[in-house]
Amino acid sequence: MANVETKPVVHEEDLLIEEYGYDDHFHEHHHGDKYQSNFITTYIFSQDHKMIAKQFLITGMFWAIVGAAMSLIFRLQLGFPEENMAWLKPLLGKWITVNEAGIGSLAPEFYYALVTMHGTILVFFVLTAGLSGTFANFLIPLQIGARDMASPFLNMLSYWFFFLSGLIMFLSLFLNTGPFSGGWTAYPPLSALPQASSGSGAGMTLWLLSLVFFVVSVLLGGINYITTILNLRTKGMSMWRMPLTIWALFVTAILGLLSFPVLVSAFLLVMFDRGLGTSFFLSEIFIGGQALDHVGGSPVLYQHLFWFLGHPEVYIIILPAMGLVSEVLSVHSRKPIFGYKAMVYSILAIGFLSFIVWAHHMFMSGVNPFISNFFVIFTLIIAVPSAVKVFNWIATLYGGNVRFTAASLFAIGFVSMFISGGLTGIFLGNSAIDIQLHDTYFVVAHFHIVMGVAAFFGMFAGIYNWFPKMFGRFMNETLGKIHFWGTIIGAYAVFWPMHYLGMAGVPRRYYRFDSFAAFGQFDAMNQFITIAAIVTFGFQVLFVINFFYSIWKGRKMTSRNPWGATTLEWTTPLEPGHGNWPGKLPTVQRWAYDYGKDGKEFIPQIQPLEEGEKEGH
Amino acid sequence: MTALLATICLILISIIVVQIGKVTELAGKIRGEEEVQEQSNKRHANYSLIFMVLFLAATLVSAWYYKDSMLWYGPNESASEHGSSLDSIFNITLFFTGLVFIITQILLFYFAWKYRGQRGRKALYMPHDNRLEVIWTVIPAIVMTFLVVGGLDAWNEVMADVDPNEEYIEIEGTGYQFAWHLRYPGPDGKLGTRDYRLVSGTNPLGQDWTDPKNLDDFHPSEIYLPVGKKVRVRITARDVLHNFYLPHFRVKMDAVPGMPTYFVFTPKTTTEEYRRKLGALNLNGEPMYPEWHEPVDPSDPESPKKFEAFDFELACAELCGEGHYAMRRVVKIVSEGEYQDWLSKQQPYYESTIKGTDDDPYKEEAAPESEVESQPEEAEPETPQTTETTE
Ligand code: HEM
Ligand SMILES: [Cu+2]
Ligand SMILES: [Cu+2]
């Protein structure tokens, strides 16, 4: 159970830091705190990593709500295609077409725009920026014992490029021709030719622009995270003493740095094909009554470039969640994470392998089938470190004294989701099976469970766990737990049935299913999924209410270390100012997972080893 | 109006829930944090266990309920020869992953329940165990090897191109926004050359009419194929990416502008046989698959039953624009005799549409020697007849 401090007069941490800490003369340099002197530098153009983290989080939440609302609209179309949608006309305007009988229906091109925006927003804005941006910024300096990021200024720019990117994407929603509608993967020629689809005109231009700015944001952030982790660890914080959150965020940043530039190159080439008449991805096209001049390009080349980012990207999304979950599971089972080193090696293995599996998204794209052999092998190898992680999480619970909180529940839920979704990857990674399953709802089920829902669960676990450190108050636990049970049941209800649709062959990205006898037999299931999605969305509203209510009205944090955790962030004052520690920097004396050692509930990382005590792992 | 009502409901529910939250927090203050935490541990540990049982039950029951849509079983059996090898790998994978799924989900929630926090209990200090790590690295690795070998074996066989010496039928499917255009090679067995710059309203595929191989090619509106014969589909696209997808035959391949692709398969079940299977009765004389016995038109009970109207379908499985969801063509698998009968009724596109027009390079002269037999004018290539066996 949490140690309850009653009178916060003298903190044991402060004494330890005073005794063993490292004096970097921080306060002699920072008289008057130029960083947080007025409203604008405190809340808007802040250079404090903790504020930037909150900016990423709240912007991410905004996008999550927008993206989820879009999915409800297209789910209504899929579940109830005959239903009257005229009531959405005030919101969607001309994208709802109303017939003579007064029945409104969603225009197919707007259905595709919604699907595309939903994917882009969730993958990039929410699960990349919202997740990494929040927790890398918040936790890296706090957990490695640094005053701030290596470059607070680049860090600030990283947020504002993200903001700009989002702004451009948002504007594209209001274009007369609609936002881009060719899928979040934006395969040319569909994405390259304005004649091919109304969203491929101005919509695509803004989409490309937005994502280029987004990549700038990721790179600025990534360079900063890597530099900070490599250079600003406090005394004693060797790599092997870093919490798994930091390891995960570290590898995530490296993946981003190596793969996002490739995406930009693909985007630049698409821009050239669109604007300058080049033919990187276009060849022998007859469209709109006209034969185009482009010859010699290859649409498959774009797919290689895209998935060279795209596959690492899915790990960029899941690794931070894995890190958060490892930490939360360990803290709340009051036990060291099981197999710390195996966890680190599997993160590294996953990170490395994620660069050599990209073409498993392209088994049926016309690449030489022989090449697919290699990608099948590497893809299925990735399942091994993934499995190791799952077994280690389960073993962490074994023999624990598990404290059920909203955070730990979401961490357990994460493991459940990761198992369910990871296992379906084994079907898809085997190219022979992928012949049938590619581009069906089976894939939709796979990646929503393993990436979408699981990453959200990791994020929720992180938010519930670190909210007190972020805002000095707790989120309401009861509401958090209701949120958890509603979400795990709802999410499985939404995505589990999609496996059956996929096995029956129903393709993804269909505006309606009744044009085919083979795909049109699942009306009841589609209605069920839509209703489940609406209910699940309702539970997220609960979360949002809880979040904002708690920022101002939540139960106050009275002790510094409410969860009884070992890591450095809990040695800071209740509301840490700029520089995180008021006096000396803490130094690290042991690894991050001394829970239950030698009969002690937990031993903070700043506590020196006893005489003759051996370090944990 | 409904939206307004829904919003109001939502707000009301939210207020109630926030109040519940507040009340529980207050109760916590009164009873002491530790006490509350312990009770909460117990409650949610129990919920975890209940969730685990219900969740696993739901997965198993729903899998049973939807078994008809699973690969290999009942109505979703493959109608092509290679399809069964693929379906069997699917099922082997399903077996292994299903086992792992059940075991790990049980352990996860069971441990959470068993080791719920209790006052006075101490957690085990158990940071690692290298033997365990080795075991659970090696076992998945072995299972993966097994799956990979089986998978790649099938993959390389399925994806192999035809051997030029063997007998096969070549057909062509071309995706465009938003339909499939089909082409058969005609009696010479060879598809004529195409050039995308020749595409026009009357020449949808850009066939080069100076190539004699083109003169007998015909453009049916449905795919007709004889059962048991190897087919090589040449897959092309005219504008953007499409994907030639025959769900019942486990055939799927992108159609790429500028780069023809192919897929080779052998149909093993005729449309009639498949219909019979869907309509089959069990020993008690009841339908095996009742969903296929419903009338096609739900408002008209007299309309044919679904299994009687069943057809194999060709779909598009790569997003190609706003009409992507409706690129349907019917596929008919028939006996060799019916197939020949159907072939003899087809009229070359050149004959029906090009000959004698300004597009015809032979307008001034007689067409060059070709094996094309001229067809009676009435034979409409666009509407193939449902054929009865003539032999
Ligand atoms: C056990 C390991 C995994 C394997 C073997 C695997 C395999 C695959 C394969 C082969 C596909 C392509 C399916 C197709 O389009 O036909 C796929 C799709 C996908 N996977 Fe996984 N996967 C695994 C884990 C993950 C994880 C951990 C994530 C994310 C965190 C993920 C995210 C995705 C996404 C987003 C897609 C779909 C992309 C799209 O087409 O829009 N997968 N997976
Ligand atoms: Cu991938
Ligand atoms: Cu399509």
Side-chain angles (χ1 to χ4, degrees):
Chain A
M1 301 298 108
N3 62 331
V4 191
E5 288 174 67
T6 35
K7 288 204 194 94
V9 204
V10 183
H11 290 281
E12 204 185 334
E13 304 91 58
D14 289 345
L15 296 179
L16 279 168
I17 294 175
E18 196 46 46
E19 182 170 357
Y20 299 99
Y22 167 72
D23 191 358
D24 61 348
H25 306 287
F26 176 69
H27 276 267
E28 289 156 33
H29 301 297
H30 290 265
H31 281 296
D33 202 347
K34 65 171 176 172
Y35 286 103
Q36 311 191 12
S37 45
N38 61 32
F39 181 84
I40 290 188
T41 50
T42 309
Y43 293 104
I44 298 175
F45 294 107
S46 170
Q47 300 192 22
D48 184 308
H49 71 101
K50 299 184 289 300
M51 183 53 69
I52 296 174
K54 291 176 204 171
Q55 292 175 328
F56 269 108
L57 177 57
I58 288 172
T59 316
M61 279 172 67
F62 166 78
W63 280 114
I65 294 166
V66 173
M70 288 174 166
S71 76
L72 291 192
I73 298 174
F74 65 70
R75 260 329 306 183
L76 280 179
Q77 163 65 26
L78 293 177
F80 305 94
E82 312 297 342
E83 212 56 34
N84 182 3
M85 297 224 223
W87 59 277
L88 278 169
K89 201 157 173 69
L91 181 65
L92 301 182
K94 69 167 177 168
W95 301 114
I96 299 286
T97 50
V98 180
N99 65 11
E100 305 89 68
I103 305 291
S105 51
L106 189 68
E109 60 269 39
F110 198 65
Y111 169 85
Y112 285 114
L114 285 174
V115 174
T116 304
M117 287 296 124
H118 167 78
T120 310
I121 288 171
L122 266 296
V123 168
F124 292 116
F125 294 172
V126 181
L127 296 179
T128 305
L131 181 55
S132 281
T134 304
F135 288 100
N137 272 304
F138 193 73
L139 291 181
I140 290 175
L142 281 173
Q143 286 197 330
I144 66 171
R147 298 272 180 215
D148 204 312
M149 284 289 174
S151 168
F153 181 70
L154 288 191
N155 212 23
M156 176 185 80
L157 280 188
S158 160
Y159 173 75
W160 286 103
F161 270 105
F162 167 47
F163 187 85
L164 181 62
S165 154
L167 195 66
I168 295 171
M169 194 65 79
F170 196 73
L171 288 181
S172 85
L173 300 178
F174 302 98
L175 288 172
N176 197 27
T177 48
F180 179 53
S181 58
W184 79 279
T185 52
Y187 285 178
L190 183 61
S191 63
L193 302 173
Q195 309 91 302
S197 142
S198 61
S200 297
M204 180 59 179
T205 306
L206 292 187
W207 190 89
L208 285 168
L209 202 64
S210 161
L211 286 190
V212 169
F213 284 124
F214 182 80
V215 175
V216 174
S217 157
V218 171
L219 298 182
L220 290 174
I223 290 178
N224 231 334
Y225 307 151
I226 295 172
T227 319
T228 309
I229 292 173
L230 288 180
N231 292 329
L232 296 188
R233 276 170 291 131
T234 183
K235 259 202 179 137
M237 179 62 91
S238 65
M239 297 294 268
W240 285 114
R241 281 177 173 170
M242 298 195 310
L244 285 173
T245 32
I246 303 298
W247 270 109
L249 291 166
F250 180 57
V251 175
T252 302
I254 296 175
L255 295 188
L257 214 55
L258 294 178
S259 61
F260 269 106
V262 178
L263 182 72
V264 176
S265 71
F267 286 170
L268 286 179
L269 299 183
V270 173
M271 288 181 191
F272 293 165
D273 278 7
R274 288 165 65 84
L276 304 180
T278 57
S279 309
F280 290 104
F281 306 131
L282 305 177
S283 187
E284 305 189 18
I285 291 167
F286 179 91
I287 193 164
Q290 206 185 352
L292 307 184
D293 289 334
H294 303 275
V295 283
S298 164
V300 178
L301 173 63
Y302 172 89
Q303 297 173 32
H304 281 297
L305 294 174
F306 182 87
W307 288 113
F308 188 82
L309 157 92
H311 188 82
E313 167 65 12
V314 305
Y315 284 95
I316 289 172
I317 288 173
I318 207 68
L319 283 176
M322 287 175 164
L324 297 171
V325 164
S326 304
E327 185 68 17
V328 169
L329 268 188
S330 167
V331 172
H332 292 274
S333 12
R334 315 308 294 141
K335 264 189 82 211
I337 187 78
F338 191 79
Y340 172 78
K341 285 207 167 158
M343 290 302 246
V344 173
Y345 286 125
S346 55
I347 291 177
L348 294 172
I350 289 175
F352 171 74
L353 287 169
S354 71
F355 279 104
I356 49 173
V357 300
W358 78 88
H360 66 212
H361 297 273
M362 301 166 59
F363 290 142
M364 311 323 300
S365 68
V367 294
N368 186 332
F370 176 70
I371 302 290
S372 297
N373 286 292
F374 299 102
F375 288 99
V376 170
I377 293 171
F378 293 137
T379 298
L380 293 194
I381 292 178
I382 256 199
V384 176
S386 309
V388 169
K389 295 198 79 86
V390 168
F391 295 136
N392 279 317
W393 284 318
I394 294 178
T396 301
L397 288 174
Y398 175 83
N401 197 25
V402 182
R403 183 166 58 208
F404 282 82
T405 58
S408 62
L409 281 169
F410 271 108
I412 294 169
F414 170 95
V415 180
S416 171
M417 287 290 167
F418 190 74
I419 294 169
S420 307
L423 287 172
T424 49
I426 295 170
F427 293 78
L428 299 170
N430 217 338
S431 52
I433 308 178
D434 194 49
I435 295 174
Q436 181 68 0
L437 297 181
H438 173 62
D439 261 350
T440 64
Y441 267 84
F442 196 89
V443 179
V444 178
H446 161 68
F447 71 76
H448 277 92
I449 291 178
V450 77
M451 180 179 77
V453 180
F456 262 105
F457 274 31
M459 194 160 159
F460 287 136
I463 293 174
Y464 283 109
N465 194 67
W466 278 282
F467 192 88
K469 192 75 259 168
M470 287 185 182
F471 297 101
R473 290 170 187 269
F474 290 90
M475 287 182 72
N476 183 289
E477 270 295 320
T478 311
L479 294 185
K481 284 169 181 151
I482 297 174
H483 173 217
F484 169 74
W485 289 113
T487 309
I488 190 170
I489 295 170
Y492 270 130
V494 171
F495 296 114
W496 189 271
M498 291 187 187
H499 293 112
Y500 304 121
L501 289 178
M503 287 187 251
V506 180
R508 67 195 280 203
R509 294 172 170 165
Y510 265 36
Y511 166 70
R512 50 194 302 157
F513 301 115
D514 52 4
S515 9
F516 289 82
F519 311 146
Q521 340 162 13
F522 300 98
D523 290 354
M525 190 196 281
N526 279 313
Q527 289 170 10
F528 173 80
I529 293 174
T530 300
I531 293 168
I534 295 171
V535 173
T536 314
F537 183 82
F539 281 99
Q540 310 319 305
V541 175
L542 201 68
F543 167 77
V544 175
I545 295 172
N546 191 359
F547 183 88
F548 286 105
Y549 180 82
S550 302
I551 289 182
W552 290 286
K553 290 278 166 70
R555 184 162 61 89
K556 270 221 165 94
M557 180 161 78
T558 49
S559 68
R560 283 193 186 177
N561 190 358
W563 311 127
T566 60
T567 40
L568 297 181
E569 74 273 28
W570 303 105
T571 65
T572 58
L574 285 180
E575 302 216 24
H578 186 73
N580 298 337
W581 285 270
K584 292 180 179 174
L585 273 183
T587 57
V588 169
Q589 315 284 347
R590 55 176 73 236
W591 77 323
Y593 295 100
D594 271 340
Y595 291 99
K597 192 184 186 192
D598 302 334
K600 297 203 190 71
E601 166 109 17
F602 70 100
I603 313 176
Q605 281 193 284
I606 52 173
Q607 179 101 41
L609 293 173
E610 309 263 316
E611 283 266 322
E613 185 188 353
K614 283 228 304 227
E615 194 166 347
H617 55 98
Chain B
M1 193 59 212
T2 28
L4 194 71
L5 270 178
T7 327
I8 292 172
C9 279
L10 209 77
I11 291 173
L12 281 179
I13 291 172
S14 309
I15 292 174
I16 292 169
V17 175
V18 169
Q19 292 308 324
I20 294 174
K22 271 191 179 164
V23 169
T24 51
E25 220 154 65
L26 223 84
K29 271 199 193 121
I30 296 166
R31 279 185 310 172
E33 256 178 73
E34 296 209 3
E35 162 99 26
V36 170
Q37 182 65 55
E38 187 168 27
Q39 280 209 343
S40 161
N41 290 348
K42 191 165 164 210
R43 181 171 323 125
H44 290 275
N46 288 339
Y47 291 164
S48 297
L49 212 57
I50 296 169
F51 173 80
M52 185 257 282
V53 172
L54 293 182
F55 170 53
L56 289 179
T59 58
L60 295 176
V61 170
S62 66
W64 178 253
Y65 184 78
Y66 284 107
K67 63 185 184 308
D68 288 358
S69 59
M70 292 212 195
L71 304 182
W72 187 271
Y73 302 99
N76 201 12
E77 196 182 328
S78 166
S80 69
E81 278 173 12
H82 76 268
S84 18
S85 71
L86 187 157
D87 288 3
S88 77
I89 299 166
F90 179 91
N91 282 291
I92 294 169
T93 311
L94 186 63
F95 173 77
F96 281 112
T97 54
L99 208 62
V100 175
F101 172 77
I102 292 175
I103 294 173
T104 48
Q105 298 281 4
I106 288 180
L107 289 183
L108 175 69
F109 289 106
Y110 172 73
F111 284 166
W113 172 78
K114 175 103 197 282
Y115 300 107
R116 66 192 174 276
Q118 283 158 329
R119 267 182 290 180
R121 191 158 93 193
K122 285 254 174 324
L124 229 60
Y125 184 69
M126 188 181 66
H128 63 112
D129 180 334
N130 291 348
R131 213 182 30 159
L132 274 180
E133 298 291 346
V134 171
I135 292 176
W136 61 47
T137 311
V138 169
I139 293 181
I142 293 173
V143 176
M144 287 304 146
T145 314
F146 177 69
L147 294 178
V148 167
V149 169
L152 289 183
D153 195 37
W155 166 257
N156 289 307
E157 200 171 306
V158 172
M159 300 307 289
D161 203 351
V162 289
D163 175 344
N165 300 320
E166 71 187 319
E167 214 187 302
Y168 63 90
I169 300 170
E170 178 148 50
I171 65 171
E172 185 186 75
T174 299
Y176 66 95
Q177 288 179 328
F178 293 101
W180 288 100
H181 205 97
L182 305 166
R183 178 164 74 133
Y184 275 58
D188 67 354
K190 297 219 168 60
L191 293 163
T193 51
R194 290 167 50 181
D195 184 333
Y196 81 105
R197 280 163 300 199
L198 299 176
V199 174
S200 68
T202 50
N203 190 357
L205 296 178
Q207 280 164 287
D208 176 1
W209 302 119
T210 63
D211 176 5
K213 293 204 287 293
N214 265 323
L215 302 183
D216 61 344
D217 293 358
F218 63 90
H219 299 186
S221 62
E222 294 182 347
I223 297 180
Y224 255 71
L225 292 170
V227 66
K229 270 264 183 66
K230 197 171 241 191
V231 184
R232 184 185 197 270
V233 192
R234 185 175 188 271
I235 300 162
T236 67
R238 210 172 71 176
D239 38 35
V240 299
L241 294 172
H242 301 269
N243 184 305
F244 188 91
Y245 176 33
L246 302 172
H248 302 94
F249 300 90
R250 317 295 188 243
V251 168
K252 189 179 280 154
M253 181 52 72
D254 269 7
V256 184
M259 185 184 87
T261 54
Y262 64 87
F263 203 106
V264 180
F265 72 107
T266 309
K268 79 171 182 196
T269 315
T270 64
T271 302
E272 273 312 316
E273 283 165 0
Y274 212 88
R275 284 179 184 165
R276 268 203 300 280
K277 201 180 67 184
L278 294 177
L281 305 178
N282 63 15
L283 292 175
N284 302 330
E286 292 153 0
M288 303 241 305
Y289 312 116
E291 64 275 21
W292 287 98
H293 283 257
E294 288 160 13
V296 171
D297 179 359
S299 60
D300 175 13
E302 297 304 305
S303 62
K305 297 200 170 123
K306 279 188 176 162
F307 77 87
E308 293 168 323
F310 168 85
D311 266 312
F312 296 123
E313 290 168 314
L314 161 64
C316 180
E318 182 67 69
L319 178 57
C320 55
E322 49 168 307
H324 167 56
Y325 61 95
M327 292 173 58
R328 178 175 187 264
R329 292 274 173 209
V330 167
V331 179
K332 289 233 159 72
I333 306 298
V334 295
S335 69
E336 180 66 29
E338 289 165 293
Y339 178 63
Q340 292 302 337
D341 200 43
W342 176 78
L343 276 185
S344 69
K345 295 205 184 90
Q346 302 304 312
Q347 194 188 18
Y349 189 76
Y350 170 79
E351 298 280 332
S352 66
T353 318
I354 303 297
K355 197 172 184 179
T357 67
D358 289 344
D359 292 331
D360 183 1
Y362 312 111
K363 194 177 170 197
E364 308 302 323
E365 352 153 6
E369 197 68 19
S370 90
E371 308 92 300
V372 184
E373 291 159 36
S374 51
Q375 298 286 333
E377 288 297 310
E378 306 86 334
E380 263 276 51
E382 293 300 290
T383 51
Q385 323 283 297
T386 341
T387 43
E388 287 111 29
T389 325
T390 39
E391 289 141 287

